């Protein structure tokens, strides 16, 4: 490879890590009977993360729920394209909301967050 080809390849790889198609949020805490607040965080990059705060009355314990790449705070629609192709064999949907209910019922406040969703 020439230096120019190498730089172009590295730039494409870096861009692929920096950006990816965000999955739409298909579920929310109210489906599990959970009260929640939409929350937003300031960001120097200009793209403020957003999330859900699911309070547990009387608790001072907190779980901060992160998610893997390509997922969002609700899970991943890995049974549908284009996300199905990422796993190459996934034929089911990942839904984190029932897990948040388990954590909430165990006595935790839950904060689930991620990148803003596409408009």
């Amino acid at each position: 490879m020439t230096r120019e080809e190498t730089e172009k390849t590295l730039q494409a790889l870096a861009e692929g890590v920096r950006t990816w198609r965000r999955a739409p949020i298909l579920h929310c805490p109210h489906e599990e009977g959970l009260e929640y607040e939409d929350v937003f965080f300031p960001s120097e990059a200009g793209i403020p993360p957003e999330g859900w705060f699911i309070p547990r009355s009387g608790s001072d314990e907190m779980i901060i729920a992160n998610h893997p790449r390509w997922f969002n705070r609700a899970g991943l629609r890995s049974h549908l394209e284009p996300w199905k192709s990422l796993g190459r064999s996934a034929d089911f949907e990942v839904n984190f909301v029932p897990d948040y209910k388990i954590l909430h019922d165990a006595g935790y406040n839950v904060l689930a967050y991620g990148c803003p969703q596409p408009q």
Side-chain angles (χ1 to χ4, degrees), residues 27-100:
H27 300 283
C28 64
H30 75 78
E31 294 173 8
E32 293 290 332
L34 297 169
E35 293 183 24
Y36 69 100
E37 301 170 31
D38 289 314
V39 294
F40 306 88
F41 306 92
S43 166
E44 288 184 16
I47 303 172
E50 47 189 55
W52 299 317
F53 175 66
I54 305 167
R56 175 63 181 192
S57 181
S59 175
D60 61 356
E61 302 292 326
M62 168 87 69
I63 296 287
I64 300 175
N66 296 305
H67 59 79
R69 186 175 183 199
W70 296 302
F71 288 63
N72 61 43
R73 64 186 178 267
L76 182 67
R77 53 185 285 173
S78 56
H79 61 300
L80 301 173
E81 292 296 347
W83 300 275
K84 183 176 183 175
S85 295
L86 296 174
R88 294 184 174 62
S89 64
D91 63 353
F92 58 90
E93 179 182 3
V94 176
N95 180 358
F96 292 144
V97 175
D99 299 319
Y100 301 151

Side-chain angles (χ1 to χ4, degrees), residues 5-44:
E5 291 171 329
T6 301
E7 287 179 11
K8 186 176 180 179
T9 300
L10 290 173
Q11 184 62 37
L13 288 171
E15 185 66 19
V17 170
R18 189 180 69 79
T19 62
W20 63 87
R21 183 182 299 221
R22 294 183 302 254
I25 294 178
L26 299 180
H27 300 283
C28 64
H30 75 78
E31 294 173 8
E32 293 290 332
L34 297 169
E35 293 183 24
Y36 69 100
E37 301 170 31
D38 289 314
V39 294
F40 306 88
F41 306 92
S43 166
E44 288 184 16

